[in-house]
């Protein structure tokens, strides 16, 4: 069709490569992390109670606890932007360290 654009097709990135990019960005914040993979996902272990998952498209991690629903809440961030994701994760890391918190509820 004339004048129309084809839809942008996003391709997934390798989860381990994306997780490793995030690990390097976290190091810029003074945060040491480990990367592990399996079953098509990768995980970045940051701190007790702070684990970041990726499928190559998104990062997601636990952000807190919903008292009313009695369950954890999660946030996600595009994997194409590991620098900003690392900034957000560094804030969560600082909060957890300040509270000395690693429990599954209330953190």
């Amino acid at each position: 069709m004339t004048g129309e654009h084809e839809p942008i097709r996003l391709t997934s990135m390798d989860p381990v490569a994306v997780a490793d990019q995030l690990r390097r960005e976290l190091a810029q914040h003074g945060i040491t992390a480990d990367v592990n993979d399996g079953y098509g996902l990768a995980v970045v272990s940051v701190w007790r109670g702070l684990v970041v998952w990726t499928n190559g498209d998104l990062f997601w991690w636990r952000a807190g606890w919903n008292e009313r629903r009695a369950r954890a809440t999660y946030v996600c961030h595009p994997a194409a932007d590991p620098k900003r994701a690392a900034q957000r994760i560094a804030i969560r890391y600082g909060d957890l360290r300040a509270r000395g918190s690693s429990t599954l509820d209330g953190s």
Side-chain angles (χ1 to χ4, degrees), residues 11-57:
T11 57
S12 292
M13 295 181 281
D14 174 52
V16 176
V18 170
D20 197 50
Q21 288 176 348
L22 178 62
R23 183 194 55 78
R24 288 191 303 271
E25 290 295 337
L26 287 168
Q28 297 296 313
H29 293 273
I31 300 170
T32 302
D34 295 318
V35 173
N36 296 286
D37 72 316
Y39 303 101
L41 298 172
V43 64
V44 182
S45 300
V46 181
W47 182 254
R48 293 177 310 220
L50 182 53
V51 176
V52 181
W53 295 86
T54 185
N55 60 0
D57 294 323

Side-chain angles (χ1 to χ4, degrees), residues 62 64-67 71 92 96 99 101 103-107:
R62 188 167 163 225
W65 184 257
N66 183 317
E67 287 291 331
R71 65 180 172 188
R92 178 70 176 147
L96 288 173
R99 289 188 217 161
S101 180
T103 61
L104 292 179
D105 60 352
S107 62

